[in-house]
Amino acid sequence: MYCVQAIASGIYWVGGTDKRLERFENMFPLPNGVAYNSYLIMDDKTALMDTVDAAISAQFLENIEFVLEGRPLDYLVVNHMEPDHCANIEELLRRYPEMKLVGNKKTFQFMEQFYTFSEPDRYIIVKEGDELPLGSRTLRFFMTPFVHWPEVMFSYEVSESILFSADAFGCFGSLSGNIFSDQTDFEGVYLEESRRYYSNIVGKYGPQVQTALKKLGKVDIKMICPLHGPVWRDNLDYIVGKYRQWSSYQPEKQGVVLVYASMYGNTENAMNLIAGKLASRGVKDIRMYDVSKTHPSYIIADAWKFSHLVFGSPTYNLGLYHGMQALLHEMASLNLQNRKVSLVGNYTWANAAIDEMTDILQSMKKIEFVGEPFVIHSAIKPEQMTDLDQLVEDIYASLTAETAEAAGSAV
């Protein structure tokens, strides 16, 4: 049965949600599923903005058929060629033989890599600033490469100032009837998942996001329609501001994220001591994660949010514990930067963890090490507490200085 909603006069949400999917890209946990958005514009000409994942094809195709009411589908605009948004292109070509495909040169290169067809007579290749008239409405195209694939573009409906933003401004989490952000408790339900989505999916491409935001700053936007998550028709400055901050790699809050690997509890004990001592000093917003228990996407999301990171790991097989190594390599590949970092290492006969953590972190931009690394020889001894207290004091002093600087900047 069809399930559609009008987002504006003559423009319909025809997407769907998948609450059963456990992992996005077979990698990122989805405790609340995911939404796949698509939008259908009804004018003198009809235009479908992207498709959806194969998992909800039946619902999607029924939605389109219901809205069209027998009319042809004139255009399919492909803003992003990732398979969770383009899985239905071949089926739509079969169902609507007059339909034209709209995309940029790179779009069609990827399309012919994913699929077996090649129909250049049905391709409309657009460039920066090109427009497609639909009747009373006009689509204008903005090239936004590497937000987060190289072929990505945004489509802007001129008459109603609606931005179809591909994967930008999206988030994990399914929709439950309310498709607009202002109909939801966005901060309670979607903000954490928006940050986790941004940091893990788009985060590597901060400079490209900044370029796109600068380009969009010249355009009047009254609604943002992403391919995942709620539609924005109110308080757009809020989500644009989040993207501006996330893409600049500036932490949102002063706080400490403690991340550790621990085989028998001794490294964990040191991290608990650090957390407790920081809390006793009045530090708030302390988060703690075991890399063997928590999916790295959640840790990375909090690393994007907070200013200070503490990593603790034992040496393992004369190297770095593999869970910690994988996490740090992923943070480096995502271009995380501009953070204050402290280290805790543990070893019994070979000291490698601190050196390897240091090497990875030094490969990242604008990483400032706080305090001397705290080294454990199998288990903490009472005589080491002075050194541990000094590390805590160094972290606290750095936090305090950052807080004072932020307060001064706000005055």
Side-chain angles (χ1 to χ4, degrees), residues 266 269 374-386 388:
N266 292 302
N269 180 47
F374 182 72
V375 180
I376 306 166
H377 302 279
S378 303
I380 295 178
K381 300 300 186 291
E383 58 268 23
Q384 291 187 277
M385 294 308 294
T386 300
L388 188 66

Side-chain angles (χ1 to χ4, degrees), residues 140 142 156 211-221:
R140 182 182 301 156
F142 296 93
Y156 175 71
T211 298
L213 291 174
K214 184 177 180 180
K215 187 179 295 187
L216 296 176
K218 302 175 183 178
V219 180
D220 178 34
I221 301 173

Side-chain angles (χ1 to χ4, degrees), residues 127-152:
K127 303 182 297 297
E128 180 73 25
D130 284 355
E131 294 187 344
L132 179 68
L134 302 176
S136 63
R137 296 179 177 84
T138 300
L139 291 174
R140 182 182 301 156
F141 304 102
F142 296 93
M143 302 301 113
T144 54
F146 288 103
V147 185
H148 58 115
W149 276 27
E151 90 302 351
V152 171

Side-chain angles (χ1 to χ4, degrees), residues 47-64:
L48 181 66
M49 313 305 291
D50 296 287
T51 82
V52 299
D53 189 80
I56 62 166
S57 291
Q59 178 71 73
F60 169 67
L61 294 168
E62 191 169 343
N63 289 345
I64 294 170

